[in-house]
Amino acid sequence: MAKSKPRVKAPKSASKGEVITIKTLISHKMESGQRKDKQGNVIPRSIINHFTAKFNGEVVFEVDIEPAISANPYLQFKMRVDEPGEFEFIWNDDDGSVYTKKQKLKVG
Amino acid sequence: MKEMSRRQALALGSGLVAITLLPLPATASIEEVNEDIKKFTGGAEAAESAIIKLEVPEIAENGNTVPLSVSVDSPMTADNYVKRVILLAEKNPNPGVATFHFTARSGVAEASTRMRLATTQNVVAVAELSDGSFHMTKSTVKVTIGGCGG
Amino acid sequence: MELKNKATVSALGVAFAALLVPGLLAGGEALALPEGIETVKVAPTSKDHPLDEILSGWHFRSPETQALQEDDFENPAFLWVEQGEELWSTVEGAANKSCSSCHDDASETMATAGANMPKWNEALGKPVNLEQQINHCRTERMEADAWKWESTQLLAMTAYVRNQSRGEPVAVQTDGPMKPWFEKGKDIYYTRVGQLDMACSSCHEGYYGQQIRADRLSQGQTNGFPTYRFKWQKIGSLHRRFKGCMKNIRATPYKVGSDEFLALELYTAWRGQGLPVEAPAVRQ
């Protein structure tokens, strides 16, 4: 796909102290740099190399990603809910592109 | 009518064998994997430990997408938590798969992803706790059709 | 069926036995089901059906592969479905129209279309499959360019439209003007081709449930297409899959979108008549 598109599944609301599950997926070829084209030339590496999950500006979870992560990278992780606020999810591409997605979380 | 002949079966078989004999990218050496672990621990010992759990399939239908979950049994408070977990695949061209960075806000040190495995091999997970201790576990995945490459 | 297969296998040579071993993977009787699906197994709808039971490809996959289709979020094919949804209301072409200009809400207007393809098209005097119908609407009604076969856009739109019909039992017309196409498809299905001199039936009728090297053979059903395949690392069309199977037996494959594959698509859809549409499925 031309431009990467993120998908996020996180609860819209939760109770204080609850540990919630967050799932993310982004469209990306994750070209490993280890494949060759038909002429035998190495296809250059082009991957999502880093993922950050922030809540109210604070980093809660991060991943350093290597070419061994599958195409259309999937990540699932947990977060304890202390207060209401906003998630920000950030994917960094080898080509310098940055993909972000925001989502609000209510507590009550 | 429905049966395959011995000749067909042999030809199909050899066709598939030929695929597996294509020059595979060089696989990592055990030294390389140990080097990566050392880099992660700063030289400290990472002993096999029951507090870290790695969930992978016994057999992967295709090495391009192998699901993986890792969890560490530990409190997740500001002064006692799981900092990082590194994942390594012993026989991939490069052993590195991913490093998860947890925080006390994670609540539970648990994460899942999907990885590529070039061949049947061990997947290694090493966790670093905030007290400076390292904990390791390994699990074998049987891969019949490798990920990476064509 | 399983027993019959085992008996056949043991009657064959050693080399063959090595190639086909009873399923290693515990795909078996699925406890869970694909999202939006109530059954992966139906009874044949007609007496002349060649199969005793009709089983979705899902049935033969490992629990890990199945898991990716149990939840739409886990299913990477939905990246394409979402793109298809955007394209649905994107205006393109000289007529200044989008799909939604004529078809409104796809969840209503496309609720069954994906289960009835290929379908007779009077204007063209031949059947069209979903890809061809989409492009027909683009060129004739939107006055836009046709999307290339296997392009992101065509895959995305096909996945989106067919997903609207998810759960709907496959029901294709095989009589009337469709009859010669059906017969042609059947003929291709049973004709041995390629260096290995095999037919579709050699694998998908006689040996489903058996392990062929790394793969566990299914009935070659089509209700999950377009399908996300680990091997492709993306979504792909049914005709791409047909091509792959022909290449495996070292036959020269027909072209995607060809009349031959269209006939084969009609015939294979009939072999899965009654099976709920699962698109987009996830396969190894």
Side-chain angles (χ1 to χ4, degrees), chain A residues 50-61:
Chain A
H50 196 79
F51 169 78
T52 313
K54 290 183 179 176
F55 190 71
N56 288 339
E58 182 195 344
V59 173
V60 293
F61 179 71

Side-chain angles (χ1 to χ4, degrees), chain B residues 15-104:
Chain B
L16 291 164
V17 170
I19 290 165
T20 59
L21 288 184
L22 282 177
L24 276 174
T27 60
S29 64
I30 291 298
E31 290 83 67
E32 231 178 296
V33 175
N34 289 337
E35 204 48 48
D36 277 11
I37 296 177
K38 248 200 214 142
K39 229 188 275 164
F40 181 77
T41 64
E45 193 62 32
E48 296 227 11
S49 155
I51 71 161
I52 177 163
K53 287 209 170 59
L54 188 57
E55 242 183 87
V56 287
E58 240 171 85
I59 303 172
E61 283 198 282
N62 185 299
N64 274 334
T65 304
V66 183
L68 161 159
S69 283
V70 67
S71 62
V72 187
D73 187 7
S74 157
M76 292 298 274
T77 58
D79 45 349
N80 186 6
Y81 67 100
V82 181
K83 281 172 103 168
R84 298 184 294 163
V85 172
I86 192 169
L87 297 163
L88 301 162
E90 284 187 349
K91 288 190 181 161
N92 268 4
N94 294 307
V97 175
T99 306
F100 296 130
H101 299 256
F102 298 99
T103 63

Side-chain angles (χ1 to χ4, degrees), chain A residues 1 5-9 23-27 29 35 71-72 74 76, chain C residues 71-80 82-83 86 152 228 233-234:
Chain A
M1 244 168 276
K5 281 209 65 184
R7 293 181 89 203
V8 169
K9 189 177 180 182
K23 298 178 179 187
T24 72
L25 190 69
I26 186 163
S27 57
K29 269 192 183 157
R35 296 199 316 155
N72 308 308
Y74 172 87
Q76 180 186 320
Chain C
D71 174 335
D72 286 349
F73 190 85
E74 306 278 331
N75 183 341
F78 275 81
L79 292 163
W80 282 264
E82 283 181 357
Q83 200 186 356
E86 274 175 31
T152 300
Y228 188 93
Q233 305 188 56
K234 61 181 293 222

Side-chain angles (χ1 to χ4, degrees), chain B residues 4 8 12, chain C residues 191-200 202-203 249:
Chain B
M4 281 187 232
Q8 287 168 333
L12 245 184
Chain C
T191 304
R192 294 164 172 276
V193 288
Q195 273 181 46
L196 299 189
D197 192 30
M198 291 173 93
C200 312
S202 312
C203 287
I249 49 175

Side-chain angles (χ1 to χ4, degrees), chain C:
Chain C
M1 193 65 220
E2 212 88 298
L3 269 178
K4 199 168 85 195
N5 279 339
K6 272 180 202 151
T8 329
V9 170
S10 63
L12 295 165
V14 182
F16 190 58
L19 192 68
L20 286 175
V21 294
L24 288 171
L25 300 164
E29 218 57 56
L31 293 173
L33 285 168
E35 182 159 350
I37 299 299
E38 272 157 27
T39 181
V40 290
K41 178 171 161 179
V42 298
T45 45
S46 59
K47 275 203 231 90
D48 57 343
H49 202 284
L51 300 164
D52 309 336
E53 49 180 2
I54 299 176
L55 294 160
S56 159
W58 149 277
H59 180 88
F60 300 92
R61 304 285 47 96
S62 77
E64 290 80 18
T65 306
Q66 290 179 343
L68 267 66
Q69 209 191 316
E70 277 161 26
D71 174 335
D72 286 349
F73 190 85
E74 306 278 331
N75 183 341
F78 275 81
L79 292 163
W80 282 264
V81 172
E82 283 181 357
Q83 200 186 356
E85 185 176 9
E86 274 175 31
L87 289 169
W88 182 258
S89 47
T90 305
V91 173
E92 260 188 86
N96 212 19
K97 286 198 159 66
S98 73
C99 314
S100 65
S101 319
C102 297
H103 297 294
D104 285 325
D105 180 357
S107 71
E108 284 169 23
T109 59
M110 297 292 145
T112 56
N116 307 333
M117 296 284 178
K119 191 178 182 175
W120 184 254
N121 185 301
E122 203 53 60
L124 295 173
K126 58 177 281 197
V128 287
N129 70 3
L130 189 49
E131 285 91 340
Q132 291 164 335
Q133 174 71 57
I134 291 167
N135 270 336
H136 183 66
C137 281
R138 279 184 63 82
T139 55
E140 304 309 307
R141 316 215 178 257
M142 294 168 68
E143 296 166 50
D145 290 337
W147 280 320
K148 276 225 275 300
W149 202 282
E150 229 56 29
S151 64
T152 300
Q153 291 94 328
L154 188 55
L155 286 167
M157 184 58 79
T158 311
Y160 174 67
V161 172
R162 203 151 191 237
N163 183 247
Q164 306 308 309
S165 314
R166 188 166 66 175
E168 194 64 28
V170 170
V172 286
Q173 186 199 343
T174 56
D175 56 3
M178 296 295 270
K179 184 92 176 137
W181 290 82
F182 177 82
E183 293 301 336
K184 181 176 172 183
K186 182 176 178 182
D187 203 48
I188 295 173
Y189 196 87
Y190 285 103
T191 304
R192 294 164 172 276
V193 288
Q195 273 181 46
L196 299 189
D197 192 30
M198 291 173 93
C200 312
S201 55
S202 312
C203 287
H204 293 297
E205 186 165 301
Y207 294 106
Y208 63 84
Q210 304 287 313
Q211 197 81 15
I212 181 163
R213 289 278 159 157
D215 275 326
R216 189 161 176 241
L217 275 172
S218 73
Q219 295 180 342
Q221 296 294 355
T222 59
N223 58 319
F225 282 85
T227 290
Y228 188 93
R229 266 191 89 193
F230 299 159
K231 184 181 175 208
W232 297 333
Q233 305 188 56
K234 61 181 293 222
I235 203 168
S237 72
L238 178 62
H239 291 195
R240 181 176 180 191
R241 183 41 132 154
F242 285 168
K243 262 178 86 174
C245 278
M246 291 191 76
K247 280 192 195 154
N248 280 347
I249 49 175
R250 302 191 202 156
T252 309
Y254 300 111
K255 291 207 163 49
V256 292
S258 63
D259 284 354
E260 287 84 359
F261 274 168
L262 186 62
L264 192 56
E265 178 172 351
L266 174 66
Y267 178 68
T268 50
W270 174 80
R271 288 178 72 94
Q273 196 93 304
L275 212 53
V277 170
E278 263 175 44
V282 180
R283 301 285 186 257
Q284 75 285 21

Side-chain angles (χ1 to χ4, degrees), chain A residues 33-95:
Chain A
Q34 279 137 14
R35 296 199 316 155
K36 288 185 177 165
D37 64 15
K38 284 187 185 120
Q39 287 79 44
N41 306 313
V42 172
I43 306 171
R45 172 185 139 151
S46 170
I47 68 165
I48 296 283
N49 58 47
H50 196 79
F51 169 78
T52 313
K54 290 183 179 176
F55 190 71
N56 288 339
E58 182 195 344
V59 173
V60 293
F61 179 71
E62 266 184 289
V63 190
D64 306 321
I65 300 171
E66 303 290 340
I69 292 294
S70 307
N72 308 308
Y74 172 87
L75 291 166
Q76 180 186 320
F77 55 95
K78 305 269 185 185
M79 190 189 85
R80 191 189 61 236
V81 176
D82 291 343
E83 78 280 356
E86 192 176 41
F87 293 109
E88 188 184 5
F89 305 103
I90 305 155
W91 291 260
N92 296 92
D93 193 312
D94 273 352
D95 72 6

